[in-house]
Amino acid sequence: MYDEIPRYVRDAHRKGMLSMNHRSEEFVALCKKTVSLLKEKLGIPETYTILFTSSATECWEVIAQSLITKESLHLYNGSFGEKWYEYTKKLVPRATALPFDKERQPDLSKLPAKKYEIICVTHNETSNGTAISHATLAALRKKRPGALLIADATSSMAGVRIDFKLADVWFASVQKCFGLPAGLGIMVCSPRAVARIRKVNERAHYNSLPFMLDMMQQGQTSFTPNVLGIYLLMRVLKARKPIASIHKKLKSRMEEWHDFFKPSEKMKVYIRNNAVRSLTVMTITGSPEHLVHVKKAAKKKGFLLGEGYGMLKKDTFRIANFPAIKQKEIKALRLFLQKFT
Ligand SMILES: *Cc1c(COP(=O)(O)O)cnc(C)c1O
């Protein structure tokens, strides 16, 4: 989290934000301002629509309810993509999985011949530290122009520069690259996605997408939202540099991390192919005995290393390269890890 958050919370309290009515003019103004800052600071096209949810997981479900009528295709190489597919399958039994090798971009020559209405990709797979490239998204768009492309950008949005035109729906939650406390999700929809939502017109849930679109047209939400979360998001965005400059910083920091682990005998970057490595999450692998030792010592020293995720729990740990992490924190972590290489 950014260090400024406690100050922003105090400001929110002082300004009466914490008891704000979400149907009030003040809320509408806050909502509109936050949407416009998101577009400005992240480079989201003016024509795209932004919606608020509670989490990225909720976005998985909302998409399955309101956008997928018959079937979806899920390209993934790790636990988050798989989980998204499994959640979808509960609501859409004909959801299809297309797992791919973690050391490669998905092989688009293997796409099934069937014309899927929706194709889902995990833009940044937080469980193993890989990312889908812009080139792959562009190629996917070209190969399947009729499909709506949906990208889970939970751990990349607000960290790396995203060409939003390359997909129709992008979503994220704020506790990763936005540097905010958890409890708010963001969904970004292209005009094509909005048209599709209108056409499907599913209205059986409190967060059915047509309902959310109707409310957002008035700068409101279909449920009582996390007003504090939206206020904090607005403040953080206001103070932030444009995404290109954040991207550049994360890229050079990640290169330093890779250089740091290069000479190490006992700890290696889990993903070997530099072309698929994420800029925001790095996964480190080593013998389970050594890693237990490192994780224990780290905890004692007050470092919060990311546990390995899912099947990789014992064989890896993860280091976040999120924008809110400071240079001096990274330095201290490197000094600590140096003893275990
Ligand atoms: C963290 C994460 C999620 C889950 O986010 P929640 O806000 O906890 O629902 C989903 N997908 C990816 C890629 C993630 O990194």
Side-chain angles (χ1 to χ4, degrees):
M1 251 177 37
Y2 284 108
D3 282 349
E4 291 79 10
I5 301 295
R7 180 160 63 83
Y8 296 159
V9 173
R10 283 194 298 275
D11 286 351
H13 179 232
R14 204 163 34 80
K15 292 180 182 171
M17 293 279 165
L18 301 184
S19 41
M20 184 186 257
N21 176 341
H22 69 287
R23 300 283 174 237
S24 66
E25 263 175 48
E26 290 82 4
F27 177 78
V28 170
L30 169 65
C31 187
K32 288 186 173 166
K33 180 158 194 191
T34 310
V35 165
S36 110
L37 277 167
L38 275 166
K39 288 185 175 175
E40 179 197 331
K41 296 289 172 124
L42 303 186
I44 298 171
E46 204 40 60
T47 54
Y48 277 44
T49 302
I50 292 175
L51 300 170
F52 293 116
T53 65
S54 307
S55 67
T57 305
E58 192 192 4
C59 295
W60 291 346
E61 196 167 277
V62 163
I63 288 163
Q65 284 165 0
S66 295
L67 264 170
I68 309 173
T69 58
K70 290 197 291 283
E71 53 210 356
S72 51
L73 180 67
H74 297 252
L75 275 56
Y76 61 81
N77 72 357
S79 299
F80 279 102
E82 186 177 18
K83 231 170 147 179
W84 182 9
Y85 158 68
E86 280 165 0
Y87 268 72
T88 305
K89 209 165 167 59
K90 291 182 202 188
L91 293 171
V92 185
R94 281 200 286 167
T96 304
L98 187 63
F100 61 92
D101 187 326
K102 66 177 168 51
E103 294 290 342
R104 293 170 193 281
Q105 293 288 322
D107 181 356
L108 301 185
S109 68
K110 295 223 172 77
L111 283 179
K114 196 194 265 171
K115 298 274 186 270
Y116 286 88
E117 53 172 342
I118 308 268
I119 300 179
C120 301
V121 298
T122 306
H123 183 239
N124 197 74
E125 179 48 78
T126 325
S127 70
N128 59 21
T130 60
I132 299 272
S133 69
H134 276 164
T136 300
L137 288 177
L140 191 54
R141 260 248 194 278
K142 207 164 166 193
K143 262 196 126 97
R144 288 290 185 273
L148 218 56
L149 208 57
I150 307 188
D152 178 344
T154 305
S155 55
S156 50
M157 193 189 290
V160 304
R161 195 184 54 77
I162 290 176
D163 182 354
F164 285 90
K165 289 239 162 75
L166 292 177
D168 296 292
V169 179
W170 298 84
F171 59 86
S173 40
V174 297
Q175 73 272 22
K176 307 219 171 133
C177 290
F178 285 93
L180 285 159
L184 185 65
I186 293 162
M187 207 163 151
V188 179
C189 303
S190 74
R192 208 157 75 113
V194 170
R196 169 94 195 164
I197 291 164
R198 293 292 186 200
K199 184 153 176 249
V200 175
N201 201 29
E202 182 279 317
R203 289 175 177 269
H205 306 272
Y206 82 98
N207 260 351
S208 288
L209 283 169
F211 216 31
M212 294 168 75
L213 286 175
D214 291 346
M215 295 309 290
M216 194 44 104
Q217 273 178 349
Q218 308 157 44
Q220 294 188 16
T221 53
S222 52
F223 59 104
T224 312
N226 180 350
V227 180
L228 175 62
I230 295 172
Y231 175 76
L232 295 177
L233 174 61
M234 185 277 285
R235 290 296 300 268
V236 159
L237 286 170
K238 215 169 153 186
R240 249 175 174 243
K241 294 201 175 96
I243 193 67
S245 119
I246 291 173
H247 181 110
K248 207 168 144 203
K249 178 174 99 174
L250 294 195
K251 186 162 187 278
S252 80
R253 266 186 1 191
M254 195 48 118
E255 280 160 7
E256 281 169 33
W257 268 122
H258 291 149
D259 290 344
F260 173 84
F261 281 105
K262 237 176 232 162
S264 172
E265 302 261 317
K266 294 185 189 147
M267 294 190 286
K268 293 275 172 217
V269 179
Y270 178 62
I271 299 298
R272 294 185 302 275
N273 177 5
N274 201 37
V276 301
R277 282 176 179 165
S278 157
L279 291 185
T280 55
V281 180
M282 179 172 51
T283 304
I284 302 300
T285 185
S287 77
E289 301 77 44
H290 186 60
L291 296 192
V292 163
H293 183 51
V294 176
K295 287 175 195 175
K296 265 197 184 147
K299 199 168 172 195
K300 235 174 153 173
K301 283 270 181 199
F303 292 110
L304 187 62
L305 291 177
E307 266 289 2
Y309 193 89
M311 271 168 35
L312 298 172
K313 191 169 170 71
K314 285 207 180 76
D315 303 307
T316 63
F317 65 84
R318 293 171 298 158
I319 298 176
N321 184 32
F322 295 163
I325 298 171
K326 290 193 287 286
Q327 204 56 38
K328 70 170 190 220
E329 293 169 326
I330 296 175
K331 245 185 174 164
L333 180 57
R334 284 203 190 121
L335 202 64
F336 163 79
L337 287 171
Q338 194 70 58
K339 289 176 280 193
F340 299 92
T341 55

